[in-house]
Amino acid sequence: MEYDASDLLRTIGDPSRYRILRYLTESPRNVSEIVRAVGMQQSLVSHHLRILRERGLLEAVRNGAFVRYSLKNPEVNRIIILAEKFVGKEF
């Protein structure tokens, strides 16, 4: 599958995925932490995490019984900061 900048922006632009990415800018988290923070069902969070991993935005590291998710590339954080500055929100 070919993946370009517009695909990246569509992926990040989904409100649910954006909230997950925004939360993960703080530190790596497991699914339970993400579910509590973003207020979505676990199955829906897992669906979005899979998409974000497939698109190369997240990495998953198993730590015992938990899988911790983090931003794979710090440039994702920069994209979020720039988008929020563009619309007038402070990071």
Side-chain angles (χ1 to χ4, degrees):
M1 177 175 142
E2 193 162 320
Y3 186 63
D4 63 18
S6 65
D7 293 321
L8 171 68
L9 293 174
R10 271 193 299 279
T11 301
I12 292 173
D14 176 89
S16 297
R17 289 192 288 266
Y18 181 85
R19 287 192 345 240
I20 291 169
L21 287 170
R22 180 69 169 78
Y23 183 59
L24 291 174
T25 63
E26 298 171 13
S27 66
R29 310 289 181 150
N30 65 45
V31 173
S32 298
E33 293 170 316
I34 297 167
V35 166
R36 278 193 303 275
V38 300
M40 297 184 319
Q41 293 180 346
Q42 187 271 330
S43 60
L44 189 54
V45 168
S46 293
H47 168 75
H48 287 298
L49 291 171
R50 180 184 54 78
I51 291 169
L52 292 167
R53 274 193 344 266
E54 288 173 354
R55 297 291 166 94
L57 298 171
L58 295 183
E59 62 184 356
V61 176
R62 181 164 293 281
N63 185 3
F66 295 99
V67 176
R68 300 198 52 88
Y69 293 88
S70 62
L71 300 180
K72 189 171 186 175
N73 184 328
E75 295 300 311
V76 174
N77 191 30
R78 289 189 51 198
I79 293 168
I80 291 170
I81 291 169
L82 287 172
E84 290 186 354
K85 283 183 180 179
F86 186 80
V87 297
K89 291 184 179 179
E90 285 300 314
F91 191 75

